């Protein structure tokens, strides 16, 4: 059996469906088709609103018809079709959405008086329809205007219908009982349509209030504020408030903006970008917007509470992008607006952000978090912001005025300016990689022009407030020169060394880019000039030239146009040839640039990082990052997304690094850990090493590969080793501090030097070895040439003759192992005599570690003694007198190239712990062999008569 309420619902739907059909034929269709197409924007807007209302009315009629069909089926077959089949129950939310859409379409028309405006164009027609319209209404007199009748005709049937829905559903719920299968659906539908009733009332009230307010405004603010979707929530005329410092005459709170009226001027603030200060002080509260901060004052606390509550709910509703249902503030989501939001906004006030559009994250009225900033002139900034300023990593594109090119800054920012490490690619094809402070190059940095530039130039060194200042190296590709020395205000100033591509070196004092006072010139043939120079580095004034053969020329030097260099002085040819070490091995720059102060701009950021406790978020800013250059993408927004380590990963990685460091503190594990750390571009120590490698190559590779700079390079490598060890110790102290453990005691100098030479130097030396060994090769080129000639001569000796020539005692010769004939012996003995020792010594050139080279030498000595002990049939320790000729024999057969450079590099880089020990003894013996082989008597070629045997 069906209940009486179901039958009443059926009659209600039949009446409402018929009413909607009559409204459509009597009101909506005449409104749409009777009037001509309007030409003004407001008229077209009204027509579009009526078309939308017509569509929503049609949908409402269709859903009513569907509900009607479900009711009829239920009443016709009550036993077969259950109560839950009714559309009003199973599809309550769908029915609700159709009603809401109709209400919103209708209220939009009410707000802009669309019915009155359209009806006015055919007033005669609508006066004739007044009687028909009154049949749709209840309790409306005949004296009202046509516009009012139209408004009522479209409103009253709906409100009455929703009210009846609620009443009948309540009665139905009471009738069916608690255990009915459809009980829950009935209760839910009752709640839905009860909420709809409240929503309809609020929506209609807001629409009427909004429509009424336009009559109180002058045309300018009305045109600025009047939109169909906008609803008035509060008017300061109803509940007075004052806003300072703007002193608005009237305050209007809409559901999307806050409007402040001053005469004919209107200031609107998007509610999505309005923050209410949570602090309450009597009758006032604060409002924050992207460009303004206001103090809202009411007459009493009650007024403040109302305004604050409505503003809060309006902001929440605006952020959600949909109206609260059923009433303002009744949404299920939290009613407190979030402090952090993501929005777009264009700044209007004068200043650096004028006309710039920011899109991204906000907090309390300021850009805060990730975002994009775009200016009308083409400037773009993508990155992190803090309290309205660029802060953290960011990429900025700046168009160049004269060309269709951009400057691209990939940097860390602090409080709106570049600060920390950055990579800047300029439209001129120059690239700067280094540090900034307050937007200017400051600290260590490298500025390099394109290799294809007409005048290639590269500066590697220190900067101060955007200018080259301090120690730095500059390559001038056009002149083929490299300057190594001090700078001030973008000019060479102070002690400096100039190296040319031709091998000529200058050392002196520079002022304003020119050398002044006495200086030194070393030419490629080791001629030495000591005296004064002109500003373009030509000999001028008093000076002395020392030639490689010992001759000296002392007097006055000068030059003239077309006359070349001329001199007036005394030539001394009686002097003895100088010691080669006095001229060809003269070292420049030593003492002029203290090694501990050369690269403070590289060490300093690492020390700052350690002092700050190694925070992951500062790792890139202080230690740098690596981003591949992509010039082809400069004009694209894609270019603003560079590949780099995500900041969120760096903190975790730093924790892992420090944790691993604590687990590898014993000597063997420490060496393994440091080797891994130095080879990693993500480890702080690896980053520091790579920067030091860059400075070393900039100084000593290419033009800087000059033998007179070997001393500078050698002490620089040792200093880098000390700084890297200090960096490790700094990281260790931070790791201990994070674990709450006591810091390690400070090392004494002796302990530190042992660790530097014994642990760190062998690990980092390969990174500098190529440039460093080249300088040793150049410095010892003359001795190595004589050594090579000696090796060539000695290689012509058969083994027996060479042993005899070297005065090796015959009882030490390993000939009893050879059972071949004389001819066979002499054809093979060169490959057999002391072969194991020879092969062992040849391994010296397979490593760059001085300690490993010394170990090779030690094993070679062991192989020689082992061979001699086997010949003698007993263990035998070789005295120096016997060892030296045997070692000369092994060296001559090993034929190691550039042995002099190898020996001196080992000596300079050797662990001080080995001084006076076995390694020192063996290295001294190898040096003696090297010197003996250079002597003239080693260059005498053996003859067949000397050997007495066939070759």
């Amino acid at each position: 059996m069906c209940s009486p309420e179901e039958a009443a619902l059926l009659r209600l739907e039949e009446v409402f469906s018929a009413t909607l059909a009559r409204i459509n034929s009597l009101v909506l269709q005449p409104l749409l088709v009777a009037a001509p197409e309007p030409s003004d924007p407001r008229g077209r807007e009204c027509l579009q609103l009526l078309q939308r209302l017509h569509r929503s009315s049609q949908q409402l009629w269709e859903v009513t018809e569907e509900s009607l069909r479900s009711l009829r089926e239920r009443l016709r077959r009550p036993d077969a079709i259950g109560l839950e089949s009714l559309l009003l129950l199973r599809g309550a939310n769908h029915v609700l959405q159709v009603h809401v859409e109709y209400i919103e379409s209708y209220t939009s028309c009410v707000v802009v008086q669309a019915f009155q405006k359209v009806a006015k164009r055919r007033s005669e027609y609508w006066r004739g329809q007044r009687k028909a319209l009154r049949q749709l209404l209840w309790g409306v007199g005949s004296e009202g205007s046509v516009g009012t009748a139209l408004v009522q005709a479209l409103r009253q049937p709906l409100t009455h219908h929703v009210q009846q829905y609620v009443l009948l559903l309540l009665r139905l719920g009471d009738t069916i009982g608690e255990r009915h299968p459809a009980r829950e659906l009935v209760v839910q539908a009752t709640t839905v349509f009860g909420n709809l009733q409240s929503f309809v009332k609020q929506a209609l009230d807001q629409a009427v209030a909004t429509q009424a307010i336009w009559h109180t405004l002058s045309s300018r603010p009305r045109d600025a504020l009047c939109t169909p979707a906008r609803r008035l929530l509060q008017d300061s005329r109803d509940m007075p408030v004052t806003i300072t410092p703007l002193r608005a005459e009237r305050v209007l709170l809409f559901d999307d903006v806050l409007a402040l009226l001053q005469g004919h001027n209107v200031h609107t603030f998007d509610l999505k970008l309005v923050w209410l200060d949570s602090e309450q002080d009597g009758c006032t509260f604060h409002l924050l917007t992207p460009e303004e901060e206001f103090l809202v004052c009411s007459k009493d606390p009650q007024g403040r509470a109302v305004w604050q509550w409505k503003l809060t709910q309006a902001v929440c509703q605006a952020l959600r992008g949909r109206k609260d249902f059923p009433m303002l503030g009744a949404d299920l989501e939290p009613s407190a607006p979030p402090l952090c939001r993501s929005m777009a906004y264009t700044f209007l006030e004068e200043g650096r952000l004028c006309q710039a559009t920011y899109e991204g994250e906000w907090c309390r009225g300021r850009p805060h978090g990730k975002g994009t900033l775009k200016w009308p002139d083409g400037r773009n900034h993508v990155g992190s912001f803090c309290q309205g300023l660029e802060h953290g990593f960011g990429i900025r594109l700046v168009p160049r005025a004269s060309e269709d090119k951009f400057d691209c800054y990939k940097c860390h920012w602090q409080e709106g300016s570049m600060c920390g490490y950055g990579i800047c690619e300029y439209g001129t094809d120059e690239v700067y990689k280094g540090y900034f402070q307050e937007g200017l190059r400051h600290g260590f940095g490298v500025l390099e022009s394109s290799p294809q530039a007409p005048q290639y130039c590269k500066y590697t060194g220190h900067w101060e407030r955007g200018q080259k200042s301090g120690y730095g190296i500059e390559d001038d590709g056009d002149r083929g020169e490299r300057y190594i020395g001090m700078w001030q205000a973008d000019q060479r100033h102070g002690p400096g060394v100039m190296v040319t591509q031709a091998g000529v070196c200058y050392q002196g004092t520079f002022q304003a880019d020119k050398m002044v006072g006495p200086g030194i010139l070393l030419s490629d043939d080791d001629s030495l000039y000591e005296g004064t120079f002109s500003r373009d580095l030509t000999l001028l004034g008093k000076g002395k030239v020392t030639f490689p053969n010992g001759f000296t020329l002392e007097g006055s030097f000068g030059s003239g146009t077309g006359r070349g260099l001329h001199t007036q002085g005394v030539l001394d040819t009686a002097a003895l040839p100088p010691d080669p070490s006095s001229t060809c091995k003269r070292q420049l720059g030593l003492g002029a640039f203290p090694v501990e102060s050369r690269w403070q701009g590289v060490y300093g950021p690492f020390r700052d990082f350690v002092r700050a406790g190694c925070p992951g978020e500062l790792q890139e800013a202080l230690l740098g990052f690596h981003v591949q250059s992509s010039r082809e993408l400069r004009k694209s927004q894609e270019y603003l997304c560079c590949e780099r380590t995500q900041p969120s990963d760096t903190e975790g990685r730093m924790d892992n690094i420090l944790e691993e460091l604590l687990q590898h503190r014993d000597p063997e594990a420490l060496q393994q850990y440091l080797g891994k750390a130095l080879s990693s571009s993500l480890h702080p120590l690896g980053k520091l090493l790579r920067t030091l490698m860059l400075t070393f190559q900039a100084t000593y590779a290419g033009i800087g590969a000059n033998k007179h700079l070997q001393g500078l390079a050698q002490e620089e490598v040792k200093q880098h080793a000390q700084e890297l060890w200090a960096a490790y110790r700094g990281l260790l102290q931070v790791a201990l501090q994070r674990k709450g453990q006591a810091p390690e005691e400070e090392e004494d100098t002796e302990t530190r030097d042992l660790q530097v030479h014994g642990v760190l130097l062998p690990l980092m030396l390969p990174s500098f070895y190529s440039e460093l060994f080249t300088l040793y090769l150049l410095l010892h080129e003359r001795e190595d040439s004589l050594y090579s000639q000696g090796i060539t001569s000695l290689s012509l000796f058969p083994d027996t003759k060479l042993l005899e020539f070297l005065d090796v005692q015959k009882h030490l010769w390993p000939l009893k192992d050879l059972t071949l004939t004389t001819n066979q012996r002499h054809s093979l003995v060169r490959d057999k005599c002391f072969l194991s020792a020879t092969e062992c010594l040849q391994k010296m050139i397979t490593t760059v570690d001085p300690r490993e080279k010394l170990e090779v030498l030690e094993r070679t000595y062991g192989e020689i003694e082992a061979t001699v002990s086997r010949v003698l049939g007993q263990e035998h320790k070789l005295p120096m007198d016997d060892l030296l000729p045997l070692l000369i024999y092994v060296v001559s057969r090993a034929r190691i190239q550039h042995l002099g450079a190898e020996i001196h590099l080992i000596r300079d880089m050797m662990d001080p712990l080995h001084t006076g020990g076995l390694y020192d003894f063996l290295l001294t013996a190898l040096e003696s062999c090297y010197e003996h082989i250079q002597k003239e008597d080693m260059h005498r070629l053996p003859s067949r008569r000397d050997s007495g045997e066939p070759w």
Side-chain angles (χ1 to χ4, degrees):
M1 288 291 294
C2 293
S3 64
E5 288 76 14
E6 293 175 69
L9 280 172
L10 175 63
R11 291 191 297 272
L12 179 67
E13 294 289 52
E14 288 175 340
V15 171
F16 188 56
S17 175
T19 302
L20 287 175
R22 293 182 64 194
I23 289 174
N24 183 54
S25 61
L26 289 176
V27 179
L28 293 178
Q29 289 186 1
L31 284 173
L32 290 172
V33 302
E37 181 75 22
S39 58
D40 61 297
R42 289 293 186 184
R44 287 194 295 270
E45 181 183 69
C46 289
L47 181 59
Q48 291 171 359
L49 291 173
L50 290 171
Q51 290 170 344
R52 178 189 170 193
L53 178 60
H54 180 259
R55 289 192 299 270
S56 61
S57 173
Q58 188 66 26
Q59 291 173 358
L60 184 59
W61 178 81
E62 291 172 357
V63 80
T64 304
E65 282 292 304
E66 187 178 353
S67 174
L68 192 56
R69 286 193 295 271
S70 68
L71 283 164
R72 286 170 178 165
E73 287 293 321
R74 163 69 176 161
L75 291 172
R76 187 163 50 247
R77 294 187 297 165
D79 296 333
I81 299 176
L83 186 61
E84 60 274 7
S85 66
L86 298 182
L87 180 64
L88 291 177
L89 302 184
R90 61 178 170 83
N93 288 326
H94 173 60
V95 176
L96 169 71
Q97 291 303 318
V98 174
H99 281 77
V100 169
E101 171 62 25
Y102 179 83
I103 287 298
E104 290 181 347
S105 302
Y106 168 76
T107 52
S108 295
C109 293
V110 172
V111 166
V112 297
Q113 294 184 299
F115 303 119
Q116 292 88 335
K117 292 176 181 177
V118 173
K120 189 180 295 185
R121 288 198 289 267
R122 292 191 65 200
S123 57
E124 291 294 332
Y125 170 81
W126 289 109
R127 277 196 292 270
Q129 297 295 320
R130 190 186 299 271
K131 182 178 179 181
L133 289 175
R134 279 202 301 272
Q135 295 176 359
L136 297 172
L137 307 175
W138 296 272
V140 178
S142 59
E143 66 280 358
S145 66
V146 173
T148 303
L150 290 173
V151 170
Q152 292 294 331
L154 292 165
R155 167 183 178 174
Q156 195 178 73
L158 178 71
T159 55
H160 174 74
H161 185 66
V162 173
Q163 181 183 10
Q164 291 302 308
Y165 266 164
V166 176
L167 293 174
L168 289 174
L169 286 172
L170 284 171
R171 284 161 49 189
L172 179 62
D174 294 337
T175 301
I176 63 175
E178 294 289 337
R179 296 188 178 184
H180 194 282
R183 171 71 183 179
E184 186 176 346
L185 287 176
V186 173
V187 172
Q188 180 183 354
T190 305
T191 303
V192 166
F193 289 106
N195 289 337
L196 176 60
Q197 187 177 13
S198 300
F199 176 78
V200 169
K201 183 180 185 308
Q202 177 183 262
L204 295 174
D205 290 345
Q206 288 180 353
V208 171
T210 306
Q211 184 270 327
I213 202 174
W214 306 138
H215 300 292
T216 67
L217 302 179
S218 59
S219 59
R220 185 172 175 181
R222 182 173 62 245
D223 291 341
L225 293 174
C226 182
T227 63
R230 182 165 289 160
R231 302 292 182 269
L232 179 69
L233 302 181
Q234 190 65 52
D235 185 352
S236 63
R237 286 187 175 179
D238 300 330
M239 187 165 290
V241 289
T242 58
I243 290 189
T244 55
L246 197 59
R247 297 192 179 278
E249 299 168 0
R250 191 174 181 185
V251 182
L252 299 175
L253 174 61
F254 294 95
D255 58 356
D256 61 336
V257 297
L258 177 67
L260 307 182
L261 278 60
Q262 285 182 311
H264 295 294
N265 296 322
V266 181
H267 304 275
T268 59
F269 302 91
D270 187 345
L271 291 181
K272 295 176 183 178
L273 288 172
V274 171
W275 282 259
L276 280 76
D277 201 319
S278 58
E279 296 181 6
Q280 300 180 3
D281 181 18
C283 301
T284 64
F285 62 93
H286 286 85
L287 286 182
L288 303 175
T289 70
E291 297 184 80
E292 302 280 356
E293 181 174 347
F294 302 115
L295 184 64
V296 182
C297 305
S298 64
K299 291 184 176 181
D300 50 53
Q302 182 182 0
R304 177 195 56 77
V306 170
W307 271 97
Q308 187 169 352
W309 184 85
K310 285 200 173 182
L311 268 166
T312 299
Q313 301 311 316
V315 170
C316 290
Q317 180 177 266
L319 290 172
R320 284 193 286 265
R322 54 182 172 79
K323 292 185 181 297
D324 290 350
F325 185 86
M327 302 178 68
L328 181 67
D331 199 276
L332 295 177
E333 297 183 25
S335 58
L339 289 179
C340 298
R341 310 167 191 175
S342 292
M343 290 295 299
Y345 178 79
T346 300
F347 292 88
L348 302 176
E349 293 192 359
E350 292 297 326
R352 71 183 191 94
L353 297 180
C354 183
Q355 299 302 316
T357 299
Y358 173 79
E359 184 174 358
E361 298 173 350
W362 297 76
C363 183
R364 293 180 60 81
R366 300 289 180 268
H368 190 87
K370 304 294 183 184
T372 302
L373 196 59
K374 298 180 181 180
W375 283 266
D377 61 6
R379 287 177 293 159
N380 280 5
H381 183 95
V382 175
S384 298
F385 293 78
C386 181
Q387 293 300 310
L389 298 173
E390 299 90 332
H391 193 91
F393 182 79
I395 304 176
R396 178 168 292 184
L397 290 182
V398 179
R400 301 185 69 84
S402 57
E403 306 171 65
D404 186 21
K405 293 184 177 182
F406 289 82
D407 293 340
C408 179
Y409 301 86
K410 292 174 279 191
C411 310
H412 277 267
W413 300 69
Q414 183 175 344
E415 296 180 358
S417 61
M418 292 181 286
C419 188
Y421 186 80
I423 298 176
C424 301
E425 298 174 335
Y426 302 96
T428 58
D429 289 334
E430 288 183 313
V431 178
Y432 174 80
K433 298 181 180 181
Y435 293 89
F436 290 85
Q437 183 174 304
E438 296 180 358
L440 300 173
R441 300 170 192 154
H442 192 90
F444 171 75
V446 180
L447 179 64
E448 183 177 13
S449 63
S450 169
Q452 291 77 34
Q455 295 183 338
Y456 173 77
C457 188
K458 179 181 179 180
Y459 174 81
T460 304
H462 296 273
W463 301 76
E464 186 172 338
R465 299 199 60 77
Q467 296 181 318
K468 303 167 189 172
S469 235
Y471 183 74
I473 292 90
E474 184 178 66
D475 282 353
D476 187 334
D478 189 44
R479 297 172 60 90
E481 295 177 347
R482 175 173 295 170
Y483 173 80
I484 304 169
M486 304 306 293
W487 294 76
Q488 181 176 307
D490 270 341
Q491 294 182 323
R492 291 171 285 186
H493 192 90
V497 173
M498 180 77 76
V499 184
T500 69
Q501 212 161 18
V504 178
C505 298
Y506 302 85
Q507 178 174 325
T509 301
F510 289 76
Q511 285 185 4
D513 258 350
K514 304 295 182 181
M515 189 156 75
V516 296
I520 294 173
L521 181 151
L522 280 170
S523 66
D524 191 38
D525 65 353
D526 295 328
S527 296
L528 169 66
Y529 170 79
E530 300 169 281
T532 56
F533 296 83
S534 68
R535 297 180 70 83
D536 59 354
L537 296 180
T538 58
L539 280 57
L540 181 66
K542 294 183 178 181
K544 176 183 177 181
V545 176
T546 302
F547 297 98
N549 60 5
F551 293 1
T552 62
L553 175 61
E554 187 170 4
S556 297
F557 296 83
S559 62
T561 305
R563 296 170 56 192
L565 179 68
H566 58 86
T567 181
Q568 184 176 9
V570 177
L571 178 65
D572 183 1
T573 60
L576 296 174
D579 182 357
S581 63
S582 65
T583 302
C584 74
K585 294 187 178 180
R586 180 187 291 271
Q587 295 299 295
L588 300 178
L590 296 177
F593 325 113
V595 65
E596 62 275 3
S597 62
R598 282 178 211 162
W599 298 113
Q600 285 302 313
V602 178
Y603 308 141
F606 193 97
R607 296 192 190 114
D608 294 341
F609 178 66
V610 171
R611 276 195 292 266
C614 302
E617 67 273 10
L618 290 182
Q619 185 173 345
E620 283 190 345
L622 293 177
L623 305 185
F625 54 87
H626 302 282
V627 180
Q628 293 183 348
S629 173
S630 304
R631 297 182 184 277
E632 297 80 7
L633 296 176
R634 266 199 183 159
K635 298 177 184 179
S636 168
Q637 288 298 107
E638 295 175 3
Y639 182 70
L640 298 179
C641 302
C642 70
E643 297 178 4
R644 49 183 281 276
T645 304
Q646 292 300 318
S648 57
D649 298 336
T650 56
E651 185 64 47
R653 182 177 293 118
M654 198 65 235
D655 291 338
N656 295 337
I657 287 172
L658 296 176
E659 181 70 29
E660 189 178 2
L661 186 148
L662 289 175
Q663 298 171 4
H664 297 79
R665 296 174 64 183
D666 58 275
E668 184 176 347
L670 174 60
Q671 190 155 18
Q672 182 182 1
Y673 172 80
L674 288 175
K676 180 182 174 182
L678 292 172
S679 63
S680 170
S681 62
L682 299 177
H683 196 286
L685 293 177
K687 288 186 176 183
L688 179 58
L689 177 60
R690 277 160 178 73
T691 306
L692 295 175
M693 288 168 56
L694 184 149
T695 64
F696 198 78
Q697 292 166 359
T699 311
Y700 305 110
I703 298 175
N706 190 290
K707 61 186 178 183
H708 302 298
L709 302 179
Q710 180 268 340
L712 275 180
Q714 171 205 319
E715 64 178 11
E716 207 163 285
V717 170
K718 291 181 178 179
Q719 180 66 25
H720 290 341
Q722 291 184 20
E723 292 290 345
L724 283 166
W725 178 254
Y728 160 74
R729 293 280 299 174
L731 291 176
L732 177 60
Q733 302 292 20
V734 172
L736 291 171
Q737 183 180 4
R738 287 195 180 188
K739 288 292 184 180
Q741 301 178 22
E744 287 197 346
E745 295 182 1
E746 189 173 346
E747 294 177 315
D748 56 52
T749 304
E750 183 179 355
T751 304
R752 183 201 64 192
D753 290 345
L754 289 176
Q755 294 282 31
V756 168
H757 285 83
V759 178
L760 197 56
L761 187 61
L763 296 173
M764 58 155 283
L765 189 57
S767 302
F768 304 95
Y769 192 80
S770 177
E771 292 78 17
L772 183 63
F773 190 66
T774 299
L775 297 176
Y776 276 91
L777 289 179
L778 296 172
L779 185 63
H780 301 284
E781 185 177 19
R782 179 177 174 277
E783 297 96 317
D784 277 339
S785 177
L786 294 173
Y787 158 78
S788 296
Q789 294 175 25
I791 289 294
T792 301
S793 299
L794 294 177
S795 67
L796 299 176
F797 280 97
D799 284 349
T800 53
K801 287 299 181 182
L802 181 56
L803 292 169
E804 183 179 359
F805 178 76
L806 296 175
D807 292 330
V808 176
Q809 298 185 45
K810 289 194 175 184
H811 70 283
L812 302 178
W813 292 14
L815 296 180
K816 65 180 183 179
D817 290 341
L818 303 173
T819 58
L820 304 175
T821 64
T822 301
N823 289 341
Q824 290 174 321
R825 181 185 308 126
H826 285 302
S827 64
L828 298 175
V829 73
R830 298 181 194 179
D831 298 326
K832 296 296 182 182
C833 193
F834 292 102
L835 177 62
S836 61
T838 301
E839 291 178 341
C840 185
L841 185 61
Q842 288 171 337
K843 295 177 182 177
M844 178 180 287
I845 61 174
T846 63
T847 179
V848 301
D849 184 352
R851 180 180 58 194
E852 292 180 359
K853 291 177 183 289
L854 290 170
E855 290 172 354
V856 168
L857 186 57
E858 181 184 18
R859 290 197 298 272
T860 302
Y861 171 67
E863 291 292 340
I864 294 174
E865 281 200 335
T867 302
V868 170
S869 297
R870 180 168 47 79
V871 170
L872 298 178
Q874 62 182 10
E875 187 174 344
H876 182 74
K877 294 295 182 182
L878 291 170
M880 188 64 174
D881 290 343
D882 289 341
L883 173 63
L884 187 60
L886 286 173
L887 191 56
I888 293 175
Y889 174 86
V890 172
V891 169
S892 68
R893 290 297 186 241
R895 299 173 66 91
I896 297 175
Q897 292 185 334
H898 315 300
L899 183 60
E902 294 276 7
I903 290 172
H904 285 89
L905 188 144
I906 295 171
R907 176 69 70 188
D908 291 339
M909 298 295 168
M910 186 172 67
D911 191 336
L913 183 65
H914 300 314
T915 303
L918 176 62
Y919 285 160
D920 196 3
F921 164 74
L922 294 175
L923 187 60
T924 301
L926 186 62
E927 286 178 305
S928 298
C929 296
Y930 176 72
E931 292 169 0
H932 274 77
I933 293 173
Q934 294 179 56
K935 293 181 180 177
E936 288 291 334
D937 55 357
M938 290 290 183
H939 299 173
R940 181 173 61 85
L941 291 174
S943 63
R944 184 173 301 180
R945 184 182 58 196
D946 293 330
S947 64
E949 298 177 3
W951 286 91

